Amino acid sequence: MNFLSSLDDSGAPSGAPTALAFQAAEPGEGQRWSTWPATIPSERGPEPRPDWLVTSAAAIDTELGVVKTGKEANLHLIERAIPDAPADVPGNRVLLAAKRYRTSEHSDFHRSAIYTEGRGLRRTRDVRAVAKGTSFGRAVARVQWAYAEFDALTRLTELGASVPYPVQVHETEVLMEFIGDGRVAAPRLAQQRADAATLRDLFQQVADFMRVLARAGLAHGDLSPYNLLVHHGRIVAIDLPQVVDLVSNPQGFDLLHRDCVNVCDWFTRQRLECDGEELFGELVGEVGF
């Protein structure tokens, strides 16, 4: 008996479990095949990877709506799932946040050069195009910022900092862990109205996050209560494409100082004693070179 004659009508070997049947589902409107198989290893999150990550080529990505819009990027919610597979089994279904840097037709994309000092582009053509602000240059910049965010998330994950796990990056889209419950995103620190004990704990978590970065010679560069999420009492930092190297960026320490002032100003307004200058001094003493 040859191989073809041993297949049943579903395409699975006769007597084989139905789970081995070829995937019959096709993406519908607002869906696509999972883009995970098309990414190269350097475009995927660091190992060890979480058990909830869906890596099957049979998975389908379903658009669930926009979580947040911005001048430079929109944040979408997608479900990556293997059709008909048990949803409660890790690796079969997960909600992900898709940050997509906007196209030239729908964006006034801009980023201050203060963040990019000390960084470089590999090709001189790209450098010239970005500097001139041509349509090609703007496209290069969007891809550059997407990969910068992915690289920052990857490095900070490896350092043990509290950030969303970076799943993958491709062109202008960064897929990452969705921080929230169900389809509802976790609230921002700016939305918190907490008692003194809770505020002290939250401040300590923010300071610890900044300390992890400082020890690696980094600063967030744009830290505020609006890009810090609070999920079940845990601080999670987001919006990281502008992370700066404190050594190679001549404005690095100024940006670190601004982060300290922004954070402490908010906590002070919540009636928690906090000194931005004191925090800055502590972090400078932690900076690794």
Side-chain angles (χ1 to χ4, degrees), residues 242-253:
Q242 75 292 314
V243 165
V244 294
D245 188 296
L246 292 170
V247 177
S248 64
N249 189 311
Q251 307 297 322
F253 282 96

Side-chain angles (χ1 to χ4, degrees), residues 203 206 210 223 228 258-267:
F203 171 73
V206 176
M210 299 175 75
L223 198 61
L228 291 165
R258 187 176 71 180
D259 285 351
C260 294
V261 171
N262 286 345
V263 167
C264 285
D265 279 355
W266 184 83
F267 278 102

Side-chain angles (χ1 to χ4, degrees), residues 72-190:
E72 300 163 358
N74 290 340
L75 191 70
H76 299 252
L77 181 64
I78 70 169
E79 178 190 65
R80 175 166 288 177
I82 304 172
D84 301 323
D88 57 349
V89 176
N92 284 350
R93 175 187 177 277
V94 69
L95 293 178
L96 299 173
K99 187 170 185 179
R100 295 167 184 163
Y101 284 87
R102 305 177 74 182
T103 63
S104 56
E105 292 81 12
H106 303 92
S107 171
D108 57 346
F109 186 94
H110 66 281
R111 271 282 181 178
S112 173
I114 191 174
Y115 298 118
T116 57
E117 290 189 72
R119 298 182 186 177
L121 291 171
R122 294 182 180 180
R123 300 188 300 181
T124 55
R125 178 194 178 201
D126 293 347
V127 174
R128 291 195 301 269
V130 171
K132 292 180 179 179
T134 65
S135 58
F136 172 73
R138 290 193 296 272
V140 169
R142 287 188 292 275
V143 173
Q144 180 188 26
W145 280 103
Y147 277 78
E149 178 144 34
F150 180 78
D151 290 344
L153 286 168
T154 297
R155 185 172 181 186
L156 295 185
T157 295
E158 293 172 334
L159 290 171
S162 185
V163 297
Y165 177 82
V167 174
Q168 65 184 75
V169 61
H170 181 64
E171 295 183 349
T172 60
E173 179 186 77
V174 183
L175 281 179
M176 65 189 81
E177 176 185 4
F178 175 67
I179 307 298
D181 295 303
R183 298 185 182 186
V184 180
R188 301 172 187 276
L189 177 61

